Each structure stands twice: as structure tokens, then as C-alpha cells.
Amino acid sequence: MSISSRFSVGIHILALIEINKNGTSTSEFLAGSVNTNPAVIRKIIGMLKGAGLVKVQPGIAGAELAKNLSDITLFDVYKAVNVVQEKELFSVHDNPNPDCTVGRNIQAAIVPVFEAAQTALEKSLGNVTVEDIVNDIIEKENIS
Amino acid sequence: MSISSRFSVGIHILALIEINKNGTSTSEFLAGSVNTNPAVIRKIIGMLKGAGLVKVQPGIAGAELAKNLSDITLFDVYKAVNVVQEKELFSVHDNPNPDCTVGRNIQAAIVPVFEAAQTALEKSLGNVTVEDIVNDIIEKENIS
DNA sequence: CTAGTTGTAACTATGATGGTTACATGTAAT
DNA sequence: ATTACATGTAACCATCATAGTTACAACTAG
């Protein structure tokens, strides 16, 4: 199991739009950097747009940021690209036997723990902004 | 995406072995409570055994706990049933374009953040033992 | 009207999941 | 020993998500 790379691609897209802000970030341009198909990029950009992170218009070349990158956390991107359903990071076996003590209580006992773990994950993602990522990229770039 | 229910089933198995400690927990018995196939249970028990959480012997009916449940955290179970690879909860797109500033630095910038988030998740699971789950089940049982 | 772009749908290959059946291996009791 | 019953695995299947690909309609600007 692994969380879809749509998430990392989404971050890549936002970072690149920023760094390429003087140019035009078409899906083809972005696809060249991510190294995938433009249609894949357009699909993800559509999700980012749906979350209000990006501005795009049919027929007009290029995507732009809809917010300041310091106002976009990785958690925002994570939600935008829909890689994990709310409260459903962990799947719980359904239909445990209600005639068994464990069977009829396991879900109620486990679910809150799973949700707490998922929240811990998401809170961690919420502590980092895409701007942090861009700054990190620039810094790494200047060092090497 | 969702983390395999092997995890919740693994917890169910350990809890039920405990609660049924005066009886014999065969794969068929456990399968009846989880509501799945005995072969599925045996596969998961094999993993729990590999992690030293459970004792089973070919030909001899029943699985037993190899440790005190208060010494088994949900993180131990999570590792045992191998639902998430180490440091690979999030997948990162491979082969980003090295000729692009973002492409050649995105992985290095993102991976530590992803690992931190995964660690937060796992730490949260490490705070709960299977004994806690069993106690919760018993409590819920007595209330209703 | 043309060229170029976005937005989508349809289709494919791949891999994980969860289940099922079957059977070899092993234990214990008669 | 033979029988009955468990475990340990392998093989196979249906289902689903992922990621990619192609194709094309809709739209904009020159």
C-alpha cells in the first residue's frame, strides 16, 4: 500500500508554477518536468483548481497560483488531490461476527485509534507549506 | 487508497486469542469471528508469528499469545502484518526531469516531510497497546 | 479560420487486496 | 498404523486503484 503519487506531483506542480512565474506553465511544460503525460497533469490541476489552489481557464495557456504559497500547506494539497478519504486511511474489515464479544465491539474500539493516527499524520502535513518546499528547493539548488 | 484490513484483522485476532484464552483459538474459530476464510487467518497469523507476537505449531490446534498484550502496541501489529513499507507510506513520482530546478530537487525536498508525517502516524499507533483495545472491548461489552 | 490549449472520456497495463480451493505437512488419539 | 483434524502454502480469481495513453470536444486568441 502506498499513497498515490498524485500528492507529490501536486506539490511539484505548485512549486514549479511558482518558480516559473515569469513564464507560462502549460500542462505540457509541467509534464516535461514531472516526466509524465500532459493529460495526467491536467487531471491533477483540475483537482487543485477544484480546491481553489490554482487558476486555469479552458483554451488559455498556463496555470497560475490562486493563493500565496505560504497559505497552502501540504495538507491542503493532500486533500485537494484526494489521495486519502476522510477517516478512511485505515480500512477495517466489515461484518465481524456480532455473536462474538470481540466481533461486535472491535470496530468501535479500533476506529477512534485509527482516526487519531490519521489526524497525527495530517497535522504533520499541515505544518509544512508549499512555500517551505520551494525555499528548500532553491536552497538545495544554490548549494550544489 | 486505504491501508489493508490485515491490520485490523491482526488486532482482532490478538484480542480474541486473549478473550478466548480458556478455549482453543483455531483458524476456523477466529475466521468465524472475523467473518472471513480460515486460510486468510492463517496467513495473517503466520505474519504475527514471524514478528514473535504469537505461538502456533503445525498440526496443533490453536494459537497462543507469545507476549503479554500490554507489551504489544498497535505499531507492533502494523509492522508485523506488513501493511506499509518502511518510509514508503507516500509514493513519490520517480524520474522527475533533472534538467529542471524543481525536477532535480523535489524528491530531496519532499521525502523528509513525508517521512516525518509517517513517523507521526506510527508514533500515534505506538501509544496504544492491544491490551488497551481489549479493555475497551470489555468495557463496551459491560455497558451495553 | 487556424493553431494551440484545456477538459474529459475511454481504454490499457500493472499491482495490491481479499477471498477461495486444494493439498502437503504435521500432531494426536484410537 | 490409521484416522481425524490443524496448520502452512501455493495457485488461482475477481475487484479495484493507479498511472499512463490516445483521442477529441470545447474554448481562446491571433
Side-chain angles (χ1 to χ4, degrees), chain A residues 1-4, chain B residues 78 83-92 114-115 118 122:
Chain A
M1 194 292 315
S2 222
I3 290 173
S4 169
Chain B
Y78 161 97
V83 283
V84 172
Q85 251 39 50
E86 198 169 347
K87 299 191 174 184
E88 293 189 2
L89 174 56
F90 296 91
S91 55
V92 177
F114 283 0
E115 289 180 4
Q118 179 169 354
E122 295 174 348

Side-chain angles (χ1 to χ4, degrees), chain A residues 4-6 36-37 39-40 42-43 58-60:
Chain A
S4 169
S5 66
R6 276 202 306 279
T36 182
N37 195 290
V40 171
R42 288 198 290 271
K43 195 185 297 180
I60 301 181

Side-chain angles (χ1 to χ4, degrees), chain A residues 9-27:
Chain A
V9 172
I11 300 168
H12 188 141
I13 288 170
L14 293 171
L16 185 48
I17 291 174
E18 167 69 15
I19 285 182
N20 184 47
K21 59 182 153 189
N22 295 326
T24 307
S25 295
T26 66
S27 62

Side-chain angles (χ1 to χ4, degrees), chain A residues 105-121:
Chain A
N105 293 293
I106 188 74
Q107 294 179 327
I110 278 179
V111 165
V113 181
F114 283 0
E115 288 179 4
Q118 180 169 353
T119 298
L121 173 93

